[in-house]
Amino acid sequence: MSNALQALIFDVDGTLADTERNGHRPAFNKAFAAAGLDWVWSVELYGELLKVTGGKERIRRYLQAHRPDFKVSGDVDAFITRLHLAKNRIYADMVAAGDVPLRPGVKRLLLEARAAGVRLAIATTTSMENVTALLEHCIGPEAQSWFEVIGAGDMVPAKKPAPDIYYYTLEALRLRSEQCLALEDSGNGLRSALVAKVPTLVTVSDYTMQDDFSGAAVVLDHLGEPELPARVLAGDLGGATYVDVDALRAVHARAVR
Ligand code: XBP
Ligand code: MG
Protein backbone atom coordinates (compact mmCIF):
# COMPACT_ATOMS: atom_id res chain seq x y z
CA MET A 1 0.00 0.00 0.00
CA SER A 2 1.39 3.39 -1.00
CA ASN A 3 2.31 5.93 1.63
CA ALA A 4 2.41 8.80 -0.87
CA LEU A 5 1.16 12.12 0.50
CA GLN A 6 -2.62 12.41 -0.01
CA ALA A 7 -3.76 15.10 2.40
CA LEU A 8 -2.63 18.02 4.54
CA ILE A 9 -4.28 18.38 7.94
CA PHE A 10 -4.05 21.94 9.24
CA ASP A 11 -4.30 23.13 12.82
CA VAL A 12 -5.97 26.57 13.03
CA ASP A 13 -4.93 28.57 16.10
CA GLY A 14 -1.30 29.63 15.76
CA THR A 15 -0.86 27.76 12.45
CA LEU A 16 -3.19 29.45 9.94
CA ALA A 17 -2.99 32.74 11.84
CA ASP A 18 -1.59 34.18 15.06
CA THR A 19 -5.06 33.91 16.57
CA GLU A 20 -3.96 33.73 20.20
CA ARG A 21 -1.93 36.95 20.08
CA ASN A 22 -4.18 38.95 17.75
CA GLY A 23 -7.58 37.49 18.60
CA HIS A 24 -8.31 35.16 21.51
CA ARG A 25 -6.34 36.84 24.34
CA PRO A 26 -7.66 40.37 23.69
CA ALA A 27 -11.16 38.93 23.12
CA PHE A 28 -11.06 37.09 26.46
CA ASN A 29 -10.06 40.34 28.22
CA LYS A 30 -12.83 42.32 26.52
CA ALA A 31 -15.37 39.64 27.48
CA PHE A 32 -14.21 39.72 31.11
CA ALA A 33 -14.54 43.53 31.22
CA ALA A 34 -18.00 43.41 29.59
CA ALA A 35 -19.09 40.87 32.24
CA GLY A 36 -17.92 43.24 35.01
CA LEU A 37 -15.01 40.98 35.99
CA ASP A 38 -11.67 42.54 36.99
CA TRP A 39 -9.75 39.67 35.34
CA VAL A 40 -6.92 40.62 32.96
CA TRP A 41 -4.94 37.94 31.15
CA SER A 42 -1.46 39.37 30.49
CA VAL A 43 0.71 38.00 27.68
CA GLU A 44 2.75 36.14 30.29
CA LEU A 45 -0.26 34.64 32.10
CA TYR A 46 -1.87 33.69 28.79
CA GLY A 47 1.33 31.88 27.80
CA GLU A 48 0.93 29.78 30.94
CA LEU A 49 -2.81 29.23 30.40
CA LEU A 50 -2.20 28.07 26.81
CA LYS A 51 -0.86 24.82 28.22
CA VAL A 52 -4.58 24.02 28.49
CA THR A 53 -6.16 23.85 25.04
CA GLY A 54 -9.72 25.03 24.52
CA GLY A 55 -11.17 28.33 25.67
CA LYS A 56 -13.73 26.87 28.09
CA GLU A 57 -11.11 24.56 29.59
CA ARG A 58 -8.75 27.56 29.91
CA ILE A 59 -11.32 29.62 31.86
CA ARG A 60 -11.89 26.65 34.17
CA ARG A 61 -8.14 26.29 34.80
CA TYR A 62 -7.86 30.03 35.52
CA LEU A 63 -10.67 29.81 38.07
CA GLN A 64 -9.05 26.83 39.79
CA ALA A 65 -5.44 28.05 39.75
CA HIS A 66 -5.79 31.84 40.02
CA ARG A 67 -9.24 32.62 41.45
CA PRO A 68 -9.90 29.81 43.93
CA ASP A 69 -12.06 32.10 46.10
CA PHE A 70 -14.21 33.41 43.24
CA LYS A 71 -17.88 32.64 43.87
CA VAL A 72 -19.89 31.91 40.75
CA SER A 73 -23.57 32.75 41.20
CA GLY A 74 -25.34 29.69 39.82
CA ASP A 75 -23.92 26.83 37.80
CA VAL A 76 -20.16 26.98 37.04
CA ASP A 77 -20.48 25.21 33.67
CA ALA A 78 -23.19 27.65 32.54
CA PHE A 79 -21.08 30.60 33.72
CA ILE A 80 -18.06 29.36 31.75
CA THR A 81 -20.16 28.65 28.66
CA ARG A 82 -21.67 32.17 28.73
CA LEU A 83 -18.30 33.85 29.16
CA HIS A 84 -16.76 31.74 26.39
CA LEU A 85 -19.62 32.53 24.03
CA ALA A 86 -19.16 36.25 24.70
CA LYS A 87 -15.42 35.87 24.01
CA ASN A 88 -16.10 34.12 20.71
CA ARG A 89 -18.57 36.83 19.61
CA ILE A 90 -15.88 39.45 20.21
CA TYR A 91 -13.31 37.22 18.46
CA ALA A 92 -15.58 36.90 15.40
CA ASP A 93 -15.93 40.70 15.24
CA MET A 94 -12.13 41.08 15.43
CA VAL A 95 -11.66 38.54 12.63
CA ALA A 96 -14.29 40.34 10.52
CA ALA A 97 -12.48 43.64 11.15
CA GLY A 98 -9.26 42.15 9.71
CA ASP A 99 -7.36 42.05 13.02
CA VAL A 100 -6.25 38.41 12.55
CA PRO A 101 -4.36 37.99 9.24
CA LEU A 102 -3.11 34.65 7.91
CA ARG A 103 0.53 33.75 8.58
CA PRO A 104 3.11 33.94 5.75
CA GLY A 105 2.74 31.28 3.07
CA VAL A 106 -0.59 29.89 4.27
CA LYS A 107 -2.84 31.08 1.45
CA ARG A 108 -0.22 30.33 -1.21
CA LEU A 109 0.27 26.79 0.10
CA LEU A 110 -3.48 26.11 0.24
CA LEU A 111 -3.86 27.23 -3.38
CA GLU A 112 -0.84 25.16 -4.50
CA ALA A 113 -2.11 22.07 -2.69
CA ARG A 114 -5.51 22.40 -4.36
CA ALA A 115 -3.89 22.82 -7.78
CA ALA A 116 -1.72 19.73 -7.14
CA GLY A 117 -4.69 17.59 -6.06
CA VAL A 118 -3.51 17.27 -2.47
CA ARG A 119 -6.59 17.00 -0.26
CA LEU A 120 -7.12 19.48 2.61
CA ALA A 121 -8.52 19.02 6.10
CA ILE A 122 -8.56 20.79 9.46
CA ALA A 123 -8.05 19.33 12.93
CA THR A 124 -8.52 22.00 15.60
CA THR A 125 -9.48 22.62 19.19
CA THR A 126 -11.38 25.80 18.43
CA SER A 127 -15.05 25.96 17.45
CA MET A 128 -16.40 25.48 13.91
CA GLU A 129 -17.76 29.05 14.02
CA ASN A 130 -14.27 30.42 14.70
CA VAL A 131 -12.79 28.34 11.86
CA THR A 132 -15.37 29.46 9.32
CA ALA A 133 -15.08 33.13 10.39
CA LEU A 134 -11.31 33.02 9.89
CA LEU A 135 -11.50 31.30 6.49
CA GLU A 136 -14.26 33.57 5.25
CA HIS A 137 -12.65 36.84 6.26
CA CYS A 138 -9.02 35.97 5.50
CA ILE A 139 -9.62 34.18 2.19
CA GLY A 140 -13.25 34.38 1.10
CA PRO A 141 -16.62 32.63 1.47
CA GLU A 142 -15.46 29.84 -0.87
CA ALA A 143 -12.52 28.81 1.34
CA GLN A 144 -14.52 26.58 3.68
CA SER A 145 -15.33 24.29 0.75
CA TRP A 146 -11.60 23.80 0.08
CA PHE A 147 -11.48 21.59 3.21
CA GLU A 148 -12.99 18.17 2.78
CA VAL A 149 -13.12 17.61 6.54
CA ILE A 150 -13.16 20.13 9.37
CA GLY A 151 -12.67 18.45 12.74
CA ALA A 152 -13.35 21.12 15.36
CA GLY A 153 -13.94 21.88 19.03
CA ASP A 154 -16.40 19.73 20.94
CA MET A 155 -16.90 17.17 18.13
CA VAL A 156 -14.61 14.87 20.10
CA PRO A 157 -14.53 14.19 23.85
CA ALA A 158 -10.89 15.11 24.54
CA LYS A 159 -9.03 18.10 23.10
CA LYS A 160 -5.37 18.23 22.07
CA PRO A 161 -2.87 16.92 23.18
CA ALA A 162 -5.27 13.95 23.05
CA PRO A 163 -5.25 12.41 19.54
CA ASP A 164 -9.07 12.31 19.22
CA ILE A 165 -9.45 15.13 16.69
CA TYR A 166 -6.80 13.54 14.43
CA TYR A 167 -8.51 10.14 14.65
CA TYR A 168 -11.80 11.83 13.77
CA THR A 169 -10.26 13.65 10.78
CA LEU A 170 -8.40 10.59 9.45
CA GLU A 171 -11.53 8.49 9.66
CA ALA A 172 -13.60 11.14 7.83
CA LEU A 173 -10.89 11.39 5.13
CA ARG A 174 -10.74 7.59 4.95
CA LEU A 175 -6.95 7.80 4.95
CA ARG A 176 -4.22 6.18 7.00
CA SER A 177 -2.05 8.44 9.15
CA GLU A 178 1.01 7.72 6.94
CA GLN A 179 -0.80 9.20 3.92
CA CYS A 180 -1.18 12.59 5.63
CA LEU A 181 0.97 15.42 6.91
CA ALA A 182 -0.12 17.60 9.83
CA LEU A 183 0.79 21.27 10.17
CA GLU A 184 0.89 22.49 13.77
CA ASP A 185 2.37 25.32 15.84
CA SER A 186 2.44 24.01 19.42
CA GLY A 187 3.73 21.17 21.56
CA ASN A 188 0.15 20.20 22.41
CA GLY A 189 -0.80 20.08 18.73
CA LEU A 190 2.31 18.11 17.81
CA ARG A 191 1.65 15.54 20.57
CA SER A 192 -1.94 15.13 19.37
CA ALA A 193 -0.82 14.47 15.77
CA LEU A 194 2.07 12.19 16.75
CA VAL A 195 -0.04 10.02 19.05
CA ALA A 196 -2.28 9.52 15.99
CA LYS A 197 0.94 8.74 14.07
CA VAL A 198 0.55 11.63 11.60
CA PRO A 199 3.95 13.05 10.53
CA THR A 200 4.04 16.74 11.43
CA LEU A 201 5.60 19.97 10.22
CA VAL A 202 5.71 22.72 12.87
CA THR A 203 5.71 26.49 12.35
CA VAL A 204 6.39 28.04 15.76
CA SER A 205 4.73 31.18 17.11
CA ASP A 206 5.78 33.63 19.86
CA TYR A 207 3.73 31.69 22.39
CA THR A 208 5.03 28.24 21.42
CA MET A 209 8.71 28.65 20.47
CA GLN A 210 9.85 27.22 23.84
CA ASP A 211 7.64 24.09 23.48
CA ASP A 212 9.07 20.60 23.07
CA PHE A 213 9.00 19.74 19.36
CA SER A 214 10.83 16.43 19.50
CA GLY A 215 9.39 14.04 16.95
CA ALA A 216 8.45 16.78 14.46
CA ALA A 217 9.52 16.11 10.86
CA VAL A 218 10.72 19.71 10.58
CA VAL A 219 10.37 22.87 12.69
CA LEU A 220 10.28 26.29 10.95
CA ASP A 221 9.69 29.90 11.97
CA HIS A 222 6.93 30.09 9.32
CA LEU A 223 6.03 28.53 5.95
CA GLY A 224 7.84 31.26 4.05
CA GLU A 225 7.30 32.84 0.66
CA PRO A 226 9.60 33.08 -2.37
CA GLU A 227 10.63 36.57 -1.13
CA LEU A 228 10.50 35.66 2.59
CA PRO A 229 12.68 32.61 3.33
CA ALA A 230 11.63 30.28 6.15
CA ARG A 231 14.20 29.57 8.87
CA VAL A 232 14.75 25.88 9.69
CA LEU A 233 14.87 25.48 13.50
CA ALA A 234 15.07 21.66 13.52
CA GLY A 235 14.94 18.88 10.94
CA ASP A 236 15.39 19.13 7.21
CA LEU A 237 13.56 21.09 4.50
CA GLY A 238 15.71 19.54 1.77
CA GLY A 239 17.34 22.87 0.89
CA ALA A 240 14.04 24.58 0.03
CA THR A 241 13.79 28.21 1.16
CA TYR A 242 10.01 28.09 1.61
CA VAL A 243 7.34 25.41 1.95
CA ASP A 244 5.65 24.41 -1.29
CA VAL A 245 3.99 21.12 -2.26
CA ASP A 246 7.26 19.59 -3.52
CA ALA A 247 9.00 20.45 -0.24
CA LEU A 248 6.10 18.93 1.69
CA ARG A 249 6.17 15.73 -0.38
CA ALA A 250 9.90 15.41 0.36
CA VAL A 251 9.46 16.09 4.10
CA HIS A 252 6.61 13.57 4.21
CA ALA A 253 8.55 10.91 2.26
CA ARG A 254 11.49 11.19 4.68
CA ALA A 255 9.14 10.98 7.68
CA VAL A 256 7.32 7.80 6.57
CA ARG A 257 10.36 6.05 5.13
C1 XBP B 1 -5.89 26.27 20.29
C2 XBP B 1 -6.68 26.53 21.48
C3 XBP B 1 -7.97 27.24 21.36
C4 XBP B 1 -8.01 28.72 21.27
C5 XBP B 1 -9.39 29.26 21.52
O1 XBP B 1 -5.25 25.02 20.36
O2 XBP B 1 -6.32 26.14 22.56
O3 XBP B 1 -8.65 26.93 22.52
O4 XBP B 1 -7.16 29.26 22.25
O5 XBP B 1 -10.42 28.62 20.91
P1 XBP B 1 -4.83 24.26 19.01
P2 XBP B 1 -11.81 28.37 21.71
O6 XBP B 1 -4.25 25.30 18.08
O7 XBP B 1 -3.78 23.28 19.45
O8 XBP B 1 -6.05 23.61 18.42
O9 XBP B 1 -11.95 29.48 22.70
O10 XBP B 1 -12.87 28.40 20.65
O11 XBP B 1 -11.71 27.03 22.39
MG1 MG C 1 -2.32 25.57 17.37
Side-chain angles (χ1 to χ4, degrees), residues 25-104:
R25 187 185 73 89
F28 273 117
N29 285 330
K30 286 180 190 167
F32 299 154
L37 298 164
D38 66 347
W39 305 354
V40 178
W41 287 1
S42 65
V43 170
E44 194 191 3
L45 173 61
Y46 197 66
E48 177 199 321
L49 294 172
L50 273 178
K51 291 190 172 59
V52 179
T53 60
K56 291 193 288 281
E57 292 77 359
R58 195 164 299 138
I59 296 170
R60 192 180 302 276
R61 161 64 70 89
Y62 176 72
L63 274 171
Q64 286 162 352
H66 297 271
R67 298 276 169 173
D69 299 328
F70 182 80
K71 294 273 174 293
V72 174
S73 57
D75 181 57
V76 182
D77 289 350
F79 168 79
I80 291 174
T81 301
R82 268 199 314 277
L83 206 48
H84 184 248
L85 209 62
K87 184 277 284 183
N88 273 350
R89 282 204 201 98
I90 295 165
Y91 175 82
D93 288 345
M94 294 174 76
V95 168
D99 294 349
V100 192
L102 295 181
R103 294 190 66 187

Side-chain angles (χ1 to χ4, degrees), residues 11-15 19-20 24-25 28 46 49-59 84 87-88 91 123-131 153-154 159-161 165 184-190 192:
D11 168 52
V12 173
D13 292 303
T15 300
T19 55
E20 306 292 2
H24 292 299
R25 187 185 73 89
F28 273 117
Y46 197 66
L49 294 172
L50 273 178
K51 291 190 172 59
V52 179
T53 60
K56 291 193 288 281
E57 292 77 359
R58 195 164 299 138
I59 296 170
H84 184 248
K87 184 277 284 183
N88 273 350
Y91 175 82
T124 179
T125 289
T126 202
S127 67
M128 184 65 90
E129 291 80 4
N130 287 353
V131 177
D154 298 321
K159 292 188 172 148
K160 298 174 187 178
I165 200 69
E184 282 281 357
D185 72 300
S186 69
N188 277 328
L190 174 64
S192 172

Side-chain angles (χ1 to χ4, degrees), residues 44-246:
E44 194 191 3
L45 173 61
Y46 197 66
E48 177 199 321
L49 294 172
L50 273 178
K51 291 190 172 59
V52 179
T53 60
K56 291 193 288 281
E57 292 77 359
R58 195 164 299 138
I59 296 170
R60 192 180 302 276
R61 161 64 70 89
Y62 176 72
L63 274 171
Q64 286 162 352
H66 297 271
R67 298 276 169 173
D69 299 328
F70 182 80
K71 294 273 174 293
V72 174
S73 57
D75 181 57
V76 182
D77 289 350
F79 168 79
I80 291 174
T81 301
R82 268 199 314 277
L83 206 48
H84 184 248
L85 209 62
K87 184 277 284 183
N88 273 350
R89 282 204 201 98
I90 295 165
Y91 175 82
D93 288 345
M94 294 174 76
V95 168
D99 294 349
V100 192
L102 295 181
R103 294 190 66 187
V106 168
K107 184 172 176 187
R108 173 189 52 75
L109 183 61
L110 292 172
L111 289 167
E112 287 174 6
R114 274 169 62 73
V118 177
R119 297 162 65 189
L120 297 174
I122 280 174
T124 179
T125 289
T126 202
S127 67
M128 184 65 90
E129 291 80 4
N130 287 353
V131 177
T132 51
L134 192 73
L135 293 175
E136 183 179 336
H137 291 288
C138 292
I139 301 178
E142 72 286 4
Q144 197 184 333
S145 70
W146 296 359
F147 295 88
E148 236 176 274
V149 177
I150 299 181
D154 298 321
M155 283 179 180
V156 290
K159 292 188 172 148
K160 298 174 187 178
D164 303 30
I165 200 69
Y166 275 96
Y167 289 142
Y168 171 92
T169 305
L170 289 169
E171 164 124 27
L173 284 169
R174 300 192 174 281
L175 289 174
R176 288 177 290 110
S177 54
E178 298 82 3
Q179 298 172 299
C180 301
L181 185 74
L183 292 94
E184 282 281 357
D185 72 300
S186 69
N188 277 328
L190 174 64
R191 294 271 85 73
S192 172
L194 290 185
V195 174
K197 298 201 161 41
V198 183
T200 305
L201 176 150
V202 171
T203 50
V204 301
S205 65
D206 287 352
Y207 275 123
T208 64
M209 54 175 81
Q210 305 299 334
D211 288 3
D212 176 7
F213 292 120
S214 43
V218 58
V219 182
L220 307 170
D221 58 349
H222 51 68
L223 294 173
E225 293 282 18
E227 68 284 2
L228 181 72
R231 201 150 51 91
V232 179
L233 306 175
D236 184 2
L237 197 57
T241 60
Y242 63 96
V243 176
D244 60 9
V245 171
D246 285 345

